Amino acid sequence: MHSLGAETEFLDHVYEAAVEPDRWTHVLGRLATLLGGSSANLTYQDQITGKGQVLGYNIDTSLFDDYFGYFATRNPLLKITDLPLALRVVTDEDKIAKEDLVRSEYYNDFLCSIDTHSALMFRLAIDGDNTTVLNVIRPRNREPFRGADIESARRLHPHLIRAFRLAARLSNMEAVHSGFEDFLTQSPNAVFIVSTNGKLRHVNPAGETLLTASRGLTVQGGVLRAADPTAARELQALIGMAGEPDAERRRGGAMLLSGQHAPISLTVMPGRSKRVPLFQPDPAVLVCAIDLEAGTDVPEQRLREVFGLSRAECRVAEQLLQGRDTRETAQALGLSYNTVRAHLVRMLAKTDTNRQTELIRKMTRALGV
């Protein structure tokens, strides 16, 4: 029988894992020790298909390849008897009589391979058909989990649920942030993320190139500005509207930077996050800059994936998106007019369009060019 002090110490590790996901293996080990288990695992599983993932302590997780591939759909412990499905602490004997379990194929061919005779199960999350369960395991040479063990588990259960939810939420935020970073990096357009006062928070590579080229945008004192004073005031006004403290009044806008250089279209829009970061108390504002006279960079692989175009058809599409007509395209590519027309007919069929203008509009929208 462990002390309440041991439980308190364990909870410190649980909440550390909430913000440091790589510490969950450590939590599994601590919990197994606390409850007299030999090993522990955390499984995420589709209850219908049996597919899933596992994290383990003192257990060969490669053995779960057979579990998720075969035994999961033959697991008698997945038979739900506590409907409606709830976040509970249960043992294997709450699911099935021990004598019935040990006679099953599941017990003899899988549980024995991971040295499992008794299991204490913490259901941590339910998302549709998917459940996340933490299992603490005892082998045959130890007593099955009983009353005192289950009481301790039930005291710890709410903390494990909260920590897991927080860890999942933070992991999702990190994934979204990482995906957004990748999108900005690959975007052919210059994108700036600024505060409501224009303070630059982030700029993608295309934005850095635009700033270096001195095309009418600059950063002074860390603030994104237009070089022309009149345009600078207009840009700051748009940023201010997009970053209004009252979310209901926030709105985007657009303007044109012109002058000595080719025109640049600026689109300013509010960030749509429902929450404001703790150390950035004002909303984020996005500023997207597009060079209206720049050539269109057509991603050939994207054309092939989205529309199923051949390489030759992609070359024609690139010319059309640059604004050339079919005769100009034929001349630029060194092809006959009839060959280009034949490519165009096939492209119309593949994109389910009827006219060249409709084709170009559809490709432009699909590719974001």
Side-chain angles (χ1 to χ4, degrees), residues 55-358:
L55 182 68
Y57 160 77
N58 198 30
I59 194 169
D60 183 358
T61 55
S62 68
L63 296 172
F64 280 78
D65 293 341
D66 288 335
Y67 173 74
F68 292 125
Y70 177 83
F71 289 109
T73 56
R74 294 161 174 80
N75 181 358
L77 300 179
L78 289 185
K79 293 179 180 178
I80 304 302
T81 59
D82 57 340
L83 296 174
L85 194 59
L87 302 181
R88 297 181 56 198
V89 172
V90 295
T91 70
D92 58 282
E93 293 177 88
D94 292 318
K95 297 277 192 173
I96 185 174
K98 185 68 74 176
E99 57 268 24
D100 293 333
L101 177 64
V102 298
R103 285 197 298 266
S104 68
E105 174 193 18
Y106 176 72
Y107 178 87
N108 289 282
D109 291 349
F110 178 68
L111 291 185
C112 287
S113 73
I114 59 172
D115 203 14
T116 298
H117 184 69
S118 180
L120 183 59
M121 297 171 276
F122 299 73
R123 203 175 286 148
L124 301 184
I126 302 168
D127 181 13
D129 295 327
N130 300 304
T131 61
T132 302
V133 179
L134 193 161
N135 304 285
V136 179
I137 291 170
R138 283 181 181 173
R140 181 182 283 275
N141 61 3
R142 297 191 193 179
E143 288 292 321
F145 291 103
R146 291 288 185 254
D149 306 312
I150 297 170
E151 288 178 14
S152 296
R154 286 174 177 162
R155 285 195 298 271
L156 300 172
H157 190 214
H159 299 281
L160 287 164
I161 291 173
R162 283 195 289 270
F164 178 78
R165 284 176 176 169
L166 178 57
R169 190 176 300 126
L170 292 175
S171 295
N172 287 338
M173 290 170 61
E174 182 64 28
V176 170
H177 183 267
S178 177
F180 186 57
E181 287 269 353
D182 291 343
F183 169 77
L184 289 182
T185 299
Q186 297 171 19
S187 173
N189 298 324
V191 181
F192 307 88
I193 302 177
V194 301
S195 302
T196 54
N197 62 359
K199 191 82 171 179
L200 187 63
R201 292 184 182 175
H202 183 81
V203 56
N204 70 345
E208 291 175 345
T209 299
L210 185 62
L211 291 173
T212 303
S214 301
R215 296 285 306 281
L217 278 179
T218 183
V219 175
Q220 299 176 5
V223 175
L224 181 68
R225 300 182 186 278
D228 176 77
T230 301
R233 289 191 292 271
E234 184 178 356
L235 176 58
Q236 183 53 53
L238 289 175
I239 292 173
M241 288 191 302
E244 267 281 345
D246 182 355
E248 297 297 324
R249 298 176 59 188
R250 289 176 198 158
R251 63 184 187 277
M255 61 178 288
L256 195 67
L257 285 181
S258 56
Q260 298 178 345
H261 308 283
I264 292 176
S265 171
L266 295 182
T267 302
V268 182
M269 65 198 82
R272 296 296 183 185
S273 175
K274 294 181 180 179
R275 292 182 174 84
V276 176
L278 181 60
F279 297 110
Q280 293 180 348
D282 58 332
V285 174
L286 303 182
V287 179
C288 181
I290 301 176
D291 185 343
L292 298 182
E293 294 190 1
T296 302
D297 183 16
V298 181
E300 178 182 320
Q301 185 61 32
R302 183 73 172 148
L303 281 171
R304 293 168 66 86
E305 291 172 351
V306 175
F307 299 117
L309 302 187
S310 67
R311 290 190 181 277
E313 290 162 355
C314 287
R315 294 176 63 210
V316 172
E318 181 178 10
Q319 296 298 316
L320 296 177
L321 287 168
Q322 295 284 2
R324 296 184 175 92
D325 61 22
T326 48
R327 293 192 182 279
E328 291 170 333
T329 295
Q331 184 177 4
L333 296 179
L335 302 173
S336 71
Y337 173 73
N338 288 335
T339 297
V340 171
R341 287 292 301 172
H343 285 316
L344 180 59
V345 169
R346 287 193 293 271
M347 291 162 62
L348 291 172
K350 289 180 178 181
T351 58
D352 193 26
T353 54
N354 297 312
R355 298 187 303 277
Q356 183 175 325
T357 53
E358 186 181 353

Side-chain angles (χ1 to χ4, degrees), residues 8-30:
T8 301
E9 182 184 359
F10 168 71
L11 292 178
D12 289 339
H13 295 283
V14 169
Y15 286 109
E16 285 178 8
V19 294
E20 297 181 48
D22 59 346
R23 292 187 60 80
W24 274 96
T25 302
H26 182 69
V27 168
L28 293 177
R30 288 275 184 167

